[in-house]
């Protein structure tokens, strides 16, 4: 208990205590947080408890409602950690209640982090821990830093935290992005780190916005006309009448309505905003408070950035699955895709191999959308589909008058269109040898020489290529250049066939649910027999075939339940065969009095085979008569 003298000499206000702790009085948000700690939370600096750490089971429950957001945030978190780990920073993501759901920490900081509770599952609220980056960000709902002695708890006075909020639908706080360092020599970077964290949070928020608004018209608004900076964009989603139904957190600042919020307002009637046409590749130029912004229309269910996909390029099948559906729960696929995503962010070329229909094209698009290149274009080229006479001009572009029939203004070419983004080379194994030579030169020099040009043009992009052929085998046959193979094969991700996936049943169920939602049946379910038929199918067309089957079944499942009758006709003979097999097996067991050895001899199979058949047909011995 404090003495009377202590009570008299102790600072009486939060502002005085802030100054006594060596902080700048201008840090009004920190001062306000201290005031709350003292007057609302009833905390004492020297008696702050160790943070609560939730159990693994509890953490799983916490993560479930924001699983989409966590999935979208993971690559950004990995990039942020890669960038800041050398300066002794820990990176984390918490939910809106302050529970740490993602955590990245280098080995050299592990013991220091454990000592103060900076751990996965830790709960960081202002009510329990006093002024701290995460808890105070939740209260203030804005980016801020809490530097060393600005922490209310004495045990946290060695830490410096920089945080930024991530908002979801209706402007509600969804998560907090945090970086923390225990080292004082990193303080000189605080200004830079604040900007980095704020921009990372905006990128996550924009991707989360896209996921929520799949299928709606979206306006992308940026101060840059090239739309290459995802962190600098404001986005709004519209309903069929052109009214704003969702917006990113900066929209209220940039697009004020009469009440200060843009929701419910027609995009054409925003208060204080004037628009005009643009001749710079955007849909409109918007002027607000003397500043110019560029507007581009997009659909949030397509590429997340300024996507350039020429008409003759590879078109994805309808309802391309996102990266979460593609990855599923197969540990092999998870490991391969996670590695591919990290390497692509570092500009290492990725080669996707796998049977037709395994999702190579969809995965290439998903890697682009989930990675650091999402702010740039995604240009897909089918290397087997471009006519030989158009290869040069289509890929490398041409200058005006380069040849008879050339467009008056020339053409950039698809490779230049990919500058700043991802170039996807589908069916790379079918690329003609002459084109392989030209492509190798572009990848080696980072330059493109358009047809009819004298000077090269610099170009920079990440490369993803795909083929159902074994490219290494094509090299051995002399059908593919070995040096180009080495250029394209920074890492190979082999996508297993659907029949080989460990999560086949779960993936089938996920795709049926996704297609059901697209058809207006979000609760579409598979009955037991239909699921057994689907799991036992060989799936020669892999995920592409699965998606077609799911779309077919969703159309016929009027009551929301998929039965065998809802599946395509080629599934039903298998069902009939299974019924025959069940009847024959059950009859043999009945005649043998359910003596498995005797029934197996009668059927001409081994006891082990009969036991497996009993299990697969879900047969059970009938109860004895009378009981």
């Amino acid at each position: 208990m404090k003495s009377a003298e202590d009570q008299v000499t102790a600072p009486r206000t939060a502002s005085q205590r802030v100054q006594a702790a060596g902080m700048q009085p201008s840090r009004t948000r920190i001062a306000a947080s201290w005031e709350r700690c003292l007057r609302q939370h009833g905390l004492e600096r020297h008696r702050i408890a160790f943070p609560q750490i939730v159990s693994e089971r509890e953490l799983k429950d916490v993560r479930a409602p924001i699983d989409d957001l966590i999935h979208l945030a993971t690559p950004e978190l990995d990039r942020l950690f890669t960038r800041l780990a050398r300066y002794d920073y820990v990176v984390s993501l918490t939910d809106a209640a302050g529970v740490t759901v993602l955590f990245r920490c280098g080995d050299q900081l592990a013991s220091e982090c454990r000592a103060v509770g900076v751990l996965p599952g830790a709960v960081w609220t202002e009510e329990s821990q006093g002024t701290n980056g995460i808890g105070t960000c939740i209260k203030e709902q804005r980016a801020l830093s809490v530097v060393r002695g600005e922490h209310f708890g004495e045990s946290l006075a060695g830490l410096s935290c920089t945080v930024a909020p991530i908002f979801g639908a209706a402007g509600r706080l969804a998560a907090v992005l945090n970086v923390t360092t225990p080292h004082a020599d990193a303080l000189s970077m605080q200004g830079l780190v604040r900007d980095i964290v704020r921009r990372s949070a905006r990128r996550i928020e924009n991707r989360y916005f896209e996921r929520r608004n799949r299928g709606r018209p979206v306006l992308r608004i940026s101060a840059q006309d090239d739309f290459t900076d995802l962190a600098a964009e404001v986005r709004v989603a519209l309903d069929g009448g052109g009214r704003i139904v969702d917006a990113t957190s900066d929209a209220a600042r940039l697009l004020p309505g009469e009440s200060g919020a843009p929701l419910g307002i027609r995009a054409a009637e925003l208060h204080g905003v004037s628009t005009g046409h643009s001749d710079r590749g955007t849909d409109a130029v918007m002027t607000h408070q003397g500043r110019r912004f560029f507007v581009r229309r997009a659909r949030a269910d397509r590429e997340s950035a300024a996507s350039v996909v020429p008409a003759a390029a590879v078109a994805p099948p309808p309802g391309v699955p996102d990266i979460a559906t593609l990855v599923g729960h197969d540990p092999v696929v998870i490991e391969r895709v996670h590695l591919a995503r990290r390497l692509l962010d570092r500009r290492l070329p990725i080669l996707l191999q796998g049977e037709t229909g395994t999702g190579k094209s969809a995965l290439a698009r998903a890697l682009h959308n989930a990675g650091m290149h999402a702010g740039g274009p995604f240009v897909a080229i089918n290397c087997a589909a471009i006519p030989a006479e158009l290869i040069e001009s289509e890929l490398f572009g041409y200058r005006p008058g380069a040849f008879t029939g050339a467009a008056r203004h020339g053409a950039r070419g698809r490779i230049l269109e990919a500058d700043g983004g991802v170039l996807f080379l589908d069916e790379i194994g079918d690329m003609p040898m002459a084109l392989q030579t030209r492509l190798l030169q572009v990848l080696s020099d980072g330059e493109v020489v358009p047809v009819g040009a004298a000077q090269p043009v610099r170009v920079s992009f990440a490369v993803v290529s795909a083929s159902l052929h074994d490219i290494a085998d094509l090299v051995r046959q002399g059908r593919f250049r070995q040096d180009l193979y080495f250029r394209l094969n920074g890492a190979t991700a082999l996508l297993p066939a659907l029949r080989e996936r460990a999560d086949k049943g779960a993936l089938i169920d996920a795709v049926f649910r996704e297609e059901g939602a697209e058809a207006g049946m979000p609760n579409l379910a598979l009955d037991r027999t239909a699921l057994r038929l689907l799991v036992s199918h060989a799936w020669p067309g892999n995920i592409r075939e699965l998606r077609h089957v799911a779309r077919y079944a969703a159309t016929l499942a009027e009551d929301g339940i998929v039965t065998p009758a809802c599946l395509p006709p080629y599934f039903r003979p298998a069902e009939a065969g299974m019924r025959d097999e069940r009847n024959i097996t059950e009859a043999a067991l009945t005649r043998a009095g359910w003596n498995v050895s005797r029934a197996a001899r009668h059927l001409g199979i081994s006891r082990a085979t009969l036991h497996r058949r009993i299990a697969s047909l879900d047969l059970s011995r009938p109860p004895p008569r009378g009981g």
Side-chain angles (χ1 to χ4, degrees):
M1 183 173 177
K2 293 183 180 179
S3 67
E5 182 180 358
D6 288 336
Q7 293 176 11
V8 170
T9 59
R12 288 174 295 176
T13 68
S15 295
Q16 289 173 321
R17 290 175 186 249
V18 165
Q19 293 180 53
M23 283 176 275
Q24 297 294 325
S26 60
R27 300 296 301 278
T28 55
R29 293 190 186 93
I30 303 300
S33 174
W34 277 51
E35 190 77 40
R36 289 192 296 268
C37 292
L38 291 166
R39 300 191 182 279
Q40 296 179 24
H41 311 327
L43 300 175
E44 297 180 48
R45 291 198 72 197
H46 63 289
R47 298 184 65 180
I48 299 294
F50 193 82
Q52 176 193 358
I53 310 294
V54 303
S55 68
E56 287 189 21
R57 182 166 185 171
E58 290 171 323
L59 184 58
K60 185 176 181 181
D61 291 339
V62 168
R63 290 169 59 102
I66 58 169
D67 187 62
D68 270 358
L69 174 58
I70 291 171
H71 177 76
L72 293 168
T74 298
E76 188 68 38
L77 213 76
D78 289 340
R79 279 195 301 278
L80 194 57
F81 179 63
T82 299
R83 188 171 185 181
L84 296 179
R86 71 188 74 174
Y87 303 110
D88 294 328
Y89 275 89
V90 173
V91 181
S92 68
L93 185 80
T94 75
D95 71 352
V99 183
T100 306
V101 294
L102 284 178
F103 184 74
R104 300 289 184 269
C105 176
D107 294 339
Q108 73 278 11
L109 294 181
S111 59
E112 293 178 76
C113 289
R114 281 195 298 271
V116 292
V118 179
L119 296 166
V123 183
W124 291 95
T125 63
E126 193 181 78
E127 289 84 351
S128 65
Q129 299 304 306
T131 304
N132 69 88
I134 295 165
T136 304
C137 180
I138 292 172
K139 290 290 186 184
E140 297 287 340
Q141 301 212 352
R142 63 182 67 207
L144 53 87
S145 294
V146 180
V147 179
R148 299 179 72 77
E150 293 179 342
H151 285 86
F152 186 84
E154 292 178 349
S155 62
L156 302 178
L159 301 178
S160 293
C161 306
T162 298
V163 292
I166 298 168
F167 295 95
R172 290 188 295 269
L173 183 71
V176 173
L177 181 62
N178 166 66
V179 301
T180 297
T181 180
H183 292 177
D185 55 3
L187 297 182
S188 60
M189 297 178 56
Q190 280 298 319
L192 174 62
V193 171
R194 268 195 300 273
D195 183 61
I196 292 172
V197 173
R198 190 183 296 113
R199 292 171 69 83
S200 288
R202 294 291 75 76
R203 279 191 286 270
I204 295 170
E205 185 176 302
N206 278 344
R207 292 185 184 117
Y208 193 36
F209 175 87
E210 293 165 5
R211 180 63 60 87
R212 295 196 307 274
N213 291 288
R214 291 180 65 184
R216 286 176 175 156
V218 168
L219 294 182
R220 302 170 55 209
I221 305 166
S222 175
Q224 288 85 37
D225 64 345
D226 56 6
F227 289 82
T228 57
D229 187 356
L230 185 64
E233 287 189 22
V234 169
R235 299 188 176 197
V236 296
L238 310 177
D239 64 12
R243 294 185 182 276
I244 297 175
V245 293
D246 196 3
T248 52
S249 59
D250 288 334
R253 173 183 55 80
L254 182 62
L255 304 172
E258 296 287 355
S259 63
L263 298 185
I265 300 172
R266 291 185 184 277
E269 300 171 357
L270 288 165
H271 179 63
V273 173
S274 60
T275 60
H277 293 292
S278 169
D279 58 355
R280 305 183 67 177
T282 55
D283 295 320
V285 174
M286 184 184 81
T287 303
H288 175 58
Q289 296 182 347
R291 295 186 62 196
R292 288 212 315 164
F293 296 89
F294 299 91
V295 182
R296 177 174 290 176
R297 285 184 174 269
R299 291 189 68 88
D301 57 343
R302 298 181 186 272
E303 284 69 40
S304 63
S307 183
V308 182
V309 185
V314 179
V320 170
D322 59 26
I323 199 165
T325 303
L326 285 165
V327 171
H329 304 290
D330 188 313
V332 174
V333 180
I334 291 172
E335 181 181 359
R336 290 172 182 172
V337 172
H338 179 67
L339 177 62
R341 186 164 56 191
R342 293 182 63 184
L343 294 179
L344 187 65
D345 283 349
R346 297 191 178 196
R347 291 285 176 98
L348 267 75
I350 304 300
L351 175 61
L352 305 178
Q353 299 259 233
E355 294 179 6
T356 183
T358 49
K360 299 185 293 296
S361 298
L363 178 57
R365 292 174 184 270
L367 289 172
H368 164 262
N369 290 354
M372 67 178 294
H373 303 290
F378 178 88
V379 178
I381 300 171
N382 189 326
C383 300
I386 303 176
E389 63 274 13
L390 297 180
I391 285 176
E392 291 279 323
S393 58
E394 283 283 315
L395 295 190
F396 304 106
Y398 55 86
R399 291 289 182 257
F403 53 86
T404 302
R408 186 160 55 98
H409 300 293
R412 294 190 71 204
R414 297 188 195 172
I415 289 179
L416 272 176
E417 286 173 345
D419 190 31
V422 172
L423 178 67
F424 175 49
L425 302 169
D426 200 13
E427 304 298 349
I428 187 69
D430 296 309
M431 177 178 279
M433 190 66 76
L435 183 56
Q436 292 180 31
T437 303
R438 287 293 307 275
L439 178 62
L440 176 63
Q441 184 177 3
V442 171
L443 297 180
S444 301
D445 301 337
E447 296 178 341
V448 173
V449 181
V451 177
Q455 297 297 324
V457 180
R458 296 293 300 173
V459 64
S460 177
F461 47 73
V463 179
V464 180
S465 52
S467 179
L468 59 86
H469 304 297
D470 184 339
I471 303 299
D473 188 55
L474 294 181
V475 170
R476 287 189 291 270
Q477 298 175 34
R479 295 168 53 194
F480 200 91
R481 290 188 61 125
Q482 186 177 53
D483 43 5
L484 178 58
Y485 172 58
F486 291 145
R487 279 280 177 184
L488 297 174
N489 187 26
T492 296
L494 178 62
L495 299 185
L498 177 55
R499 63 183 175 277
E500 298 169 352
R501 290 184 60 142
D503 61 342
K504 180 169 62 172
L507 184 59
I508 289 170
D509 185 67
V511 169
F512 268 74
R513 287 181 182 276
E514 192 171 291
E515 290 298 331
E518 289 287 335
M521 290 183 289
N523 298 317
L524 186 70
L526 292 160
D527 79 3
R528 187 173 180 178
T529 306
L531 179 59
R532 186 165 61 233
L533 289 170
L534 292 163
V535 170
S536 63
H537 184 58
W539 297 109
N542 292 295
I543 294 176
R544 183 181 296 129
E545 180 190 1
L546 169 61
R547 194 159 290 280
H548 290 320
V549 170
R551 196 168 298 127
Y552 180 100
T555 304
L556 299 182
E558 295 180 356
D559 58 354
I561 302 296
V562 175
T563 65
C566 301
L567 300 178
Y570 61 85
F571 279 83
R572 290 196 276 278
E575 182 192 5
M578 188 176 292
R579 281 200 303 269
D580 291 344
E581 183 180 40
R582 181 186 181 92
N583 292 340
I584 292 170
T585 304
E586 198 166 24
L589 286 165
T590 300
R591 282 196 302 270
W594 273 81
N595 183 305
V596 175
S597 297
R598 194 183 310 157
R601 284 197 299 272
H602 175 77
L603 293 170
I605 58 178
S606 68
R607 289 179 70 254
T609 298
L610 181 53
H611 276 298
R612 286 194 296 271
R613 187 177 295 178
I614 290 170
S616 67
L617 295 173
D618 199 22
L619 295 174
S620 57
R621 184 169 187 159
R625 291 183 181 179

